[in-house]
DNA sequence: CAACGCTACTGGAACGCTCCAGACGGGTCT
DNA sequence: AGACCCGTCTGGAGCGTTCCAGTAGCGTTG
């Protein structure tokens, strides 16, 4: 650390080497219009040969902006999250901003701590991709910087924009697919009371009612899987299930196969999310896919608008789509 | 943005409110010894009621340290990475440092860009959890800040510490397990020429030789899976396979079952990594597990030492262990 | 009791940048 | 010709810290 760069070159070094003032270097580098073309190229050339890199800390301090977005995720290993992050990064990069990620390890307290830390670091805004961040942490963050939330539909109005997939439409898509195949006895398998899960559950009920069919919701933690399989084995039981998410659907598939139930010939299953697991189980899981990258891009777009002074907080819902694989077929 | 906090309180606000100089506030907050107990508690109380938060940007500028570590990963959705990150975060938090993550999306160019960006943001050091970062990007980063590399064993010496799992020992573990069960015809299935994969392949060969058995390596992209299964179906063929990683093992398992081969009764399979997929396939995959959290903690420990002035770069290897699930049994 | 050494505290420079008010020439307009 | 403007460039203040060289107050000591 001694024989190499004695110190990173600063704007002053560039100015001296180019024979201009530091202010002009600053303007040239930021592409200000009031710099003649000749001097700009000269300054940039000098900066380049000196290996000058703008100090983000100093810029952030002086300007109040760091040109970096923060993304808070609760579970890195969830591919849903990484796809959303990819969308965010693509959009941010297009606008010349960098991105850092904070990882909450599925723990609300850690999540809140990471959020504070990213804000302390000076990010210009934050996108929260996690349903488990405490509401008050979200509020205090929103008071400091623009915040966009991905995935959680909000009850009360907050100073936060929201981007989410249209769970209601997704559930309707799943039910319609099963009905098109000829199923009547379609049960919903729920595993959570969280907002997205509830939206799917309610939309399932409405879709069934609209079709003039009775709706039944079973809960995983009340032995719903066993009940469902026991019923499906009998000839009068349900012939299909719409599960609230892919993990639940995969567990159901596993147990159904173990019970000797033929999927999809004797029993069809639809999941939600198009998670990695949907491609890994056999047969592949038919599932409702969220437009994950698009969600990320939209979230970044909203955040950038807020950073640029837009006051309005909005809620955007994007359309899910159905991915048909091997767990659905006409009932026999 | 106007009616709320007109501006975040600074150290000067705290000083004024407490009736002391800003220098003293700075010392008190950082826990300097030369502050009397009485004034320290008073200052901290004032800071607290004012909601003062130290400005990381200003501190970083003045001090040259931000108390934040950067972690560069190439693939967020790989659970190996998230476990390592968890270990890093645990250790960093214990030392009072924060952590930000840069995500390379599996693209070397993006990876290098994120690395630069994190360094620009002023992180005190970086842990690289990715085998695909270009060597020159690693070198320029190492010239700027301390860097610790996870997982890639290095050929030539660099200004970088390395933490990795002991691939040689892991391969030996897998082979020993199969030999203990009574297997003699054990084939290695390789899918990559990367360093870790090569180490495992060579160690497999040595372990077989040591046991006086012939070693055979088949390559996935040369039709190795088909060759292997064709051989295993016959009665004189191999009875077991050690695959270079879990993804390869899972693919082999899939095709073997499709070919009517009974796993593990007629054919045993061992993978490497204990990836998520090892738990999701049926039967569950016997595999060599890396001590992922420990790797992360160790990497953070080394980085913190480097940040505190330690000049030496070291290479640490941690012991893998064997996780026995359902794809291994005695040959029939 | 002057000299000394502590402990507790202070003021200003420095970190590298942005922003603002203005300077300096050389047109253009009247 | 004087007033004015416009494009280009400059110097200094300021962002919120840390760090360094002091200073004041006070008890010890020879």
């Amino acid at each position: 650390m001694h024989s190499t760069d004695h110190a990173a070159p600063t704007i002053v070094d560039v100015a001296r080497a180019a024979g201009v003032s530091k202010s002009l270097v600053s303007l040239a580098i930021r592409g200000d219009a009031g710099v003649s073309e000749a001097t700009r190229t000269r300054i940039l050339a000098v900066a380049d040969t000196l290996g000058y890199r703008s100090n983000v800390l100093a810029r952030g301090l002086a300007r109040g902006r760091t040109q970096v977005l923060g993304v808070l995720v609760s579970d890195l290993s969830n591919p849903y999250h990484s796809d959303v992050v990819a969308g965010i990064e693509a959009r941010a990069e297009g606008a010349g901003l960098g991105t850092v990620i904070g990882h909450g390890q599925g723990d609300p307290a850690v999540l809140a701590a990471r959020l504070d830390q990213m804000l302390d670091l000076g990010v210009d805004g934050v996108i929260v991709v996690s349903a488990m961040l405490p509401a008050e942490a979200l509020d205090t963050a929103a008071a400091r910087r623009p915040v966009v939330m991905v995935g959680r539909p909000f009850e009360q109005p907050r100073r936060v924009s929201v981007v989410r997939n249209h769970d209601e439409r997704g559930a309707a898509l799943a039910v319609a697919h099963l009905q098109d195949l000829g199923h009547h006895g379609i049960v919903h398998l729920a595993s959570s009371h969280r907002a997205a899960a509830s939206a799917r559950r309610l939309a399932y009920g409405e879709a069934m009612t609209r079709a003039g069919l009775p709706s039944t919701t079973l809960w995983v933690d009340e032995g719903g899987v066993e009940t469902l399989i026991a019923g499906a084995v009998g000839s009068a039981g349900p012939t299909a299930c719409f599960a609230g998410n892919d993990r639940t659907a995969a567990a159901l598939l596993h147990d159904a196969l173990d019970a000797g139930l033929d999927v999809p010939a004797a029993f069809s299953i639809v999941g939600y999310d198009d998670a990695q697991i949907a491609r890994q189980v056999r047969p592949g899981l038919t599932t409702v896919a969220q437009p994950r990258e698009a969600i990320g891009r939209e979230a970044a777009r909203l955040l950038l608008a807020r950073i640029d002074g837009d006051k309005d907080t909005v809620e955007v819902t994007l359309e899910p789509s159905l991915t048909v694989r091997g767990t659905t077929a006409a009932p026999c």
Side-chain angles (χ1 to χ4, degrees), chain A residues 239-264:
Chain A
T239 59
C241 172
F242 164 49
N245 61 66
D246 283 350
R247 186 180 296 246
T248 306
L252 172 63
L253 172 61
H254 185 285
D255 289 1
L257 293 173
D258 267 1
L261 209 52
D262 187 359
V263 177

Side-chain angles (χ1 to χ4, degrees), chain A residues 28-107:
Chain A
I29 282 169
R30 285 178 295 155
D32 190 284
V35 181
S36 75
E37 203 47 42
T39 41
R40 149 169 303 125
T41 52
R42 184 162 50 92
I43 289 173
L44 291 184
V46 170
D48 201 51
T49 62
L50 256 56
Y52 169 77
R53 313 213 84 217
S54 164
N55 182 319
V56 176
L57 266 48
R59 177 173 3 124
L61 185 58
R63 194 147 175 271
R65 290 259 197 110
T66 51
Q67 305 277 83
V68 177
L69 299 187
V71 180
L72 185 69
V73 301
S74 56
D75 178 16
L76 283 178
S77 59
N78 184 335
Y80 169 82
H81 289 180
S82 50
D83 285 351
V84 171
V85 170
I88 292 170
E89 290 180 332
R91 191 71 174 74
E93 185 153 346
L97 302 220
T99 315
V100 296
I101 299 170
H103 175 210
Q105 304 181 56
D107 179 338

Side-chain angles (χ1 to χ4, degrees), chain A residues 35-330:
Chain A
V35 181
S36 75
E37 203 47 42
T39 41
R40 149 169 303 125
T41 52
R42 184 162 50 92
I43 289 173
L44 291 184
V46 170
D48 201 51
T49 62
L50 256 56
Y52 169 77
R53 313 213 84 217
S54 164
N55 182 319
V56 176
L57 266 48
R59 177 173 3 124
L61 185 58
R63 194 147 175 271
R65 290 259 197 110
T66 51
Q67 305 277 83
V68 177
L69 299 187
V71 180
L72 185 69
V73 301
S74 56
D75 178 16
L76 283 178
S77 59
N78 184 335
Y80 169 82
H81 289 180
S82 50
D83 285 351
V84 171
V85 170
I88 292 170
E89 290 180 332
R91 191 71 174 74
E93 185 153 346
L97 302 220
T99 315
V100 296
I101 299 170
H103 175 210
Q105 304 181 56
D107 179 338
V110 175
L111 224 33
R114 290 274 173 279
L115 180 54
D116 267 351
Q117 174 211 311
M118 286 200 303
L119 289 169
D120 285 350
L121 233 199
V123 298
D124 292 341
V126 174
I127 297 177
V128 178
V129 190
S130 163
M132 49 174 66
L133 183 72
E136 60 172 72
L138 191 62
D139 282 342
T140 62
R144 295 225 265 159
R145 298 282 163 141
V147 174
V148 172
M149 182 84 206
V150 167
R152 178 160 62 176
F154 273 101
E155 311 72 33
Q156 64 267 58
R158 293 175 187 277
R159 308 171 48 78
V160 170
S161 291
V162 177
V163 180
R164 62 187 192 93
N165 111 95
H166 204 304
D167 286 300
E168 295 77 8
R169 215 107 76 188
L173 223 48
V175 173
H177 171 61
L178 290 171
Q179 288 174 350
D180 285 352
L181 288 171
H183 291 274
H184 302 294
I186 305 172
V187 172
H188 179 60
L189 184 58
S191 65
S192 152
H193 287 273
R194 288 213 281 252
S198 300
R200 293 167 193 178
R201 175 165 44 81
L202 297 176
Y204 152 81
E206 284 171 24
M208 292 299 282
T209 306
R210 220 179 302 124
L213 297 172
S215 60
T216 313
T217 295
L218 295 175
W219 294 85
V220 169
D221 49 11
E222 295 173 359
V225 173
E226 294 73 20
T227 310
L228 180 52
I229 292 175
V233 169
S235 60
T239 59
C241 172
F242 164 49
N245 61 66
D246 283 350
R247 186 180 296 246
T248 306
L252 172 63
L253 172 61
H254 185 285
D255 289 1
L257 293 173
D258 267 1
L261 209 52
D262 187 359
V263 177
F267 191 72
S268 289
I269 300 175
V270 178
Y272 206 115
D273 287 341
D274 197 14
Q276 200 167 325
I277 196 173
R279 256 153 289 155
Q280 290 173 345
V281 295
R282 297 199 308 144
L285 188 63
T286 295
T287 186
V288 179
Q290 301 192 29
R292 298 182 264 196
E293 281 222 26
I295 288 175
R297 279 196 303 274
E298 183 65 15
R301 198 185 64 75
L302 292 179
L303 184 60
L304 291 171
R306 291 281 306 284
I307 289 173
D308 286 341
D310 197 340
K311 300 271 185 201
D312 302 336
T313 64
V314 297
E315 173 163 348
V316 176
T317 52
L318 300 182
E319 292 297 321
S321 60
L322 188 75
T323 299
V324 179
R325 295 204 179 84
T327 54
T328 49

